[in-house]
Amino acid sequence: MRLPTVFISYNPSVESEETLAMRLHTLGGVNGFQMLLPDRFQNNNGITSETQRRINIADYFVLFSTKPKLSNVVLAEINYAWERWHDQRRVLVIYDDETGRTLTGADHFTEIFI
């Protein structure tokens, strides 16, 4: 049985979210999952064609959104994932209980509070 491929996103200017994403990427990888991260080396303002390619091959999209302001690049990524699958069970947004909902401009995802 093939394990799912997971695309992990985070706000580029939030170090704690990036750390969570990197750790999940590592843990998933050593346990047999194919883990993908966004292409943020060239551009933090918009979704790159490489990031789109990675979302296209993923089975799930996971976003860490723990700070009050969501970046435009992350909003573009989550909207792209929704347009790709039209299945909110495959698009997961992980919020911080204390901060609450931070995502506006996208409606089709499953919310998880930690």
Side-chain angles (χ1 to χ4, degrees), residues 45-61:
N45 298 321
I47 186 171
T48 66
S49 59
E50 178 59 23
T51 295
Q52 289 176 341
R53 185 189 74 75
R54 293 173 189 178
I55 292 170
N56 287 340
I57 63 174
D59 298 306
Y60 292 93
F61 179 100

Side-chain angles (χ1 to χ4, degrees), residues 15-103:
E15 188 176 325
S16 61
E17 290 180 13
E18 183 175 2
T19 299
L20 284 168
M22 296 300 170
R23 288 182 178 169
L24 180 58
H25 178 267
T26 300
L27 288 171
V30 298
N31 285 289
F33 290 85
Q34 182 178 3
M35 307 299 282
L36 304 167
L37 293 166
D39 174 30
R40 299 269 172 81
F41 296 109
Q42 301 296 324
N43 183 356
N44 282 333
N45 298 321
I47 186 171
T48 66
S49 59
E50 178 59 23
T51 295
Q52 289 176 341
R53 185 189 74 75
R54 293 173 189 178
I55 292 170
N56 287 340
I57 63 174
D59 298 306
Y60 292 93
F61 179 100
V62 175
L63 166 64
F64 289 102
S65 184
T66 62
K67 299 297 178 194
K69 178 120 172 80
L70 191 70
S71 71
N72 289 333
V73 68
V74 171
L75 186 57
E77 290 169 359
I78 196 168
N79 283 326
Y80 185 84
W82 166 250
E83 288 300 318
R84 166 90 170 93
W85 298 312
H86 290 282
D87 183 354
Q88 68 187 45
R89 297 170 299 168
R90 295 174 67 182
V91 181
L92 309 172
V93 176
I94 301 171
Y95 293 123
D96 182 322
D97 267 337
E98 292 179 18
T99 306
R101 288 181 176 89
T102 59
L103 184 56

